[in-house]
Amino acid sequence: MDSLLIKGGVPLHGDVTISGAKNAVLPIMAATLLTAEKCVIRRVPDLSDVKFMGKILASLGAEVKAEGDTVTVQAAKIKGVGDYDLIRKMRGSICILGPLLARLHKAKVSLPGGCVIGTRPIDLHLKGLRALGVGIKVESGYILATAKKLTGADLFLGGRAGPTVLGTANIIMAAVLAEGVTLIESAACEPEVMDLCNFLTAMGAKITGVGSPTITITGVKELHGAEHEVIPDRIEAATYAIAAAATNGEVTLHGARAEHMNAVLDKLRESGVKVERQGAALKVRRGGRLKPVDITTLPYAGFPTDVQAQMMALMILTPGISIITERIFESRFTHAAELMRLGADISIEGPSAIVKGGKPLSGAPVMASDLRASAALVIAGLCAKGATQVNRIYHLDRGYEKMDDKLKALGARIERVEET
Ligand code: EPZ
């Protein structure tokens, strides 16, 4: 397994281009199953999760071609049984369920795995599909779903932690070809769900309320092919903004959409970071002494859980006490123990992490555990004295396009060490 070797202490300077959003492109690729016609998706990030989704679509019988940052999919003839091992390995694959049921009225997919951040249940996905008339059995690790037809329904999709992003995506994709109207209350409002809805609309779907907690879908007979450019990745942009502030550098993020990042930019400004809009770019630099801030992760437009770990990496550098409360996932502090190896002072009290920031960090070998925790370790390594080796960076490669190259271009002393 590859690792990253980082020699800290270099402020990041220069320009970085933000890639397409992983969490938009995965459901959008799944949505291509809804038509037999060709779909062209642009600004697709070069990520292992995206390659995985391409393999899953191909295993269902779709023709998938990738050329540069453009992926073409034609699901002319598909089957409803997905490759167990492929689907089990990637959580995002659950969003093929809705389109398969809409297109074929049947699907057999493996239960998606959980991961270090939590059990990742899918009860809300199944509740929504049942409301549309789908019969569902779960046995020997598979979800077996069939429906004579899909009929529109009114349904509430909120769970104990609020809306479900991929659950909303799944139900929308099941409803676009259902008979009648579906109204989803407590739908997820994330920009990635909006981007999916924009792609579905381009395919001929009838959806209103996009970006609001109440989405209405009027079923149509069939959908046609479409072309779409994926929105930039607000989580990647937030990650580089935080890295710029943490290293006391100055970085311009090209392609970042500030309107998707208000909660993050608000907290960065509160902590003393300077963020200026420059046309379609954001310039970020530390504006002097950092101030501690309290963070609570919430559904969009609240502070995103996917930026919680990276913000902790900034707060361990910030003199004073910051409290970070994770309200979306039940165990998303795995990065804390690894940050403490670098000298951070963090104590976990239930859903909150108490960060006593300002202690000097010194490099050490650390273990990546999930995608965003890995990013936090890289940020901390960029600031620690001496060398930090971040192991198991396949986690990073799942969701960050060429992170080591992008950081090197900003002046970081970082090398990918391929395991021999
Ligand atoms: C999406 O996961 C993202 N992944 C996650 O990003 C992100 O953290 C999450 O949304 C929340 O914003 C993709 O889009 C591929 P949820 P998703 O369903 O849809 C509970 C990253 O780092 N829940 O919105 O799987 C669940 O346990 C990844 O890029 C149920 O209880 O998350 C959690 O507590 C990590 N029942 C909360 O809802 C369900 O049926 C939010 O989960 C579904 C979810």
Side-chain angles (χ1 to χ4, degrees):
M1 284 179 254
D2 291 2
S3 56
L4 284 180
L5 190 58
I6 303 165
K7 289 203 176 56
V10 177
L12 299 181
H13 278 282
D15 300 89
V16 65
T17 299
I18 300 305
S19 305
K22 164 178 86 84
N23 292 349
V25 75
L26 293 178
I28 285 170
M29 286 175 75
T32 61
L33 295 168
L34 288 162
T35 177
E37 296 183 13
K38 187 159 78 167
C39 294
V40 180
I41 309 165
R42 295 197 171 79
R43 192 169 32 204
V44 175
D46 176 13
L47 302 172
S48 54
D49 270 11
V50 170
K51 291 193 180 72
F52 233 89
M53 182 57 90
K55 284 196 190 120
I56 288 170
L57 298 182
S59 77
L60 293 165
E63 194 188 326
V64 183
K65 263 195 270 157
E67 275 153 52
D69 74 349
T70 300
V71 168
T72 305
V73 184
Q74 181 149 16
K77 281 181 79 53
I78 54 167
K79 56 185 181 158
V81 184
D83 178 305
Y84 184 89
D85 275 336
L86 274 179
I87 293 172
R88 188 177 55 80
K89 285 202 190 99
M90 184 176 76
R91 163 94 195 156
S93 58
I94 188 67
C95 61
I96 65 172
L97 200 48
L100 284 178
L101 284 163
R103 179 90 183 274
L104 303 175
H105 293 171
K106 67 174 188 306
K108 178 181 177 187
V109 298
S110 71
L111 279 165
C115 56
V116 282
I117 63 177
T119 49
R120 311 297 292 274
I122 56 164
D123 56 308
L124 299 172
H125 297 243
L126 303 186
K127 169 186 170 184
L129 292 173
R130 286 189 175 106
L132 298 179
V134 179
I136 291 172
K137 270 196 303 184
V138 177
E139 60 186 38
S140 45
Y142 277 101
I143 301 163
L144 308 168
T146 54
K148 282 200 185 43
K149 63 175 180 168
L150 275 78
T151 312
D154 292 358
L155 54 112
F156 178 78
L157 214 47
R160 55 173 186 72
T164 160
V165 171
L166 288 180
T168 301
N170 243 337
I171 303 314
I172 291 171
M173 290 192 279
V176 289
L177 295 176
E179 258 179 44
V181 179
T182 297
L183 184 136
I184 304 175
E185 277 297 353
S186 189
C189 306
E190 272 69 3
E192 294 75 24
V193 174
M194 293 167 70
D195 205 30
L196 168 68
C197 290
N198 293 338
F199 176 56
L200 290 168
T201 304
M203 295 170 79
K206 295 201 175 339
I207 306 171
T208 58
V210 176
S212 86
T214 307
I215 294 185
T216 304
I217 304 109
T218 304
V220 294
K221 276 262 169 292
E222 63 178 12
L223 296 180
H224 50 73
E227 306 211 358
H228 183 78
E229 181 171 89
V230 176
I231 54 169
D233 194 320
R234 62 192 170 100
I235 308 298
E236 184 196 28
T239 304
Y240 285 102
I242 291 169
T247 58
N248 200 8
E250 180 171 303
V251 173
T252 301
L253 311 172
H254 294 277
R257 299 267 287 271
E259 66 272 24
H260 292 163
M261 304 169 65
N262 285 318
V264 172
L265 301 184
D266 175 61
K267 277 298 168 187
L268 284 176
R269 289 181 174 121
E270 187 186 328
S271 70
V273 175
K274 294 281 176 263
V275 181
E276 292 149 44
R277 288 184 76 151
Q278 297 193 337
L282 279 179
K283 180 179 267 191
V284 182
R285 62 185 168 80
R286 190 192 296 185
R289 198 173 151 74
L290 287 172
K291 297 189 271 301
V293 293
D294 294 344
I295 307 264
T296 298
T297 64
L298 289 168
Y300 192 82
F303 193 94
T305 176
D306 292 348
V307 182
Q308 179 257 106
Q310 301 90 309
M311 206 59 194
M312 190 182 287
L314 183 64
M315 288 299 107
I316 63 177
L317 304 164
T318 306
I321 292 182
S322 304
I323 299 175
I324 299 180
T325 302
E326 173 58 57
R327 288 284 181 223
I328 305 296
F329 287 106
E330 61 262 38
S331 56
R332 197 168 196 177
F333 288 135
T334 46
H335 43 285
E338 295 305 301
L339 290 171
M340 287 192 256
R341 275 181 208 279
L342 302 176
D345 182 344
I346 306 166
S347 54
I348 307 295
E349 303 289 335
S352 297
I354 321 288
V355 180
K356 295 189 188 89
K359 306 270 187 329
L361 299 183
S362 50
V366 288
M367 191 71 81
S369 54
D370 77 87
L371 175 52
R372 310 305 174 184
S374 320
L377 296 176
V378 170
I379 293 170
L382 291 169
C383 305
K385 199 161 152 302
T388 295
Q389 176 144 345
V390 182
N391 296 308
R392 296 191 184 170
I393 55 155
Y394 62 86
H395 291 292
L396 264 187
D397 295 335
R398 283 191 43 218
Y400 286 96
E401 184 175 55
K402 302 185 180 66
M403 180 181 250
D404 42 336
D405 294 341
K406 290 189 178 185
L407 287 172
K408 211 178 282 180
L410 292 170
R413 289 178 299 198
I414 184 168
E415 288 306 323
R416 179 180 285 259
V417 178
E418 297 193 354
E419 187 178 12
T420 44

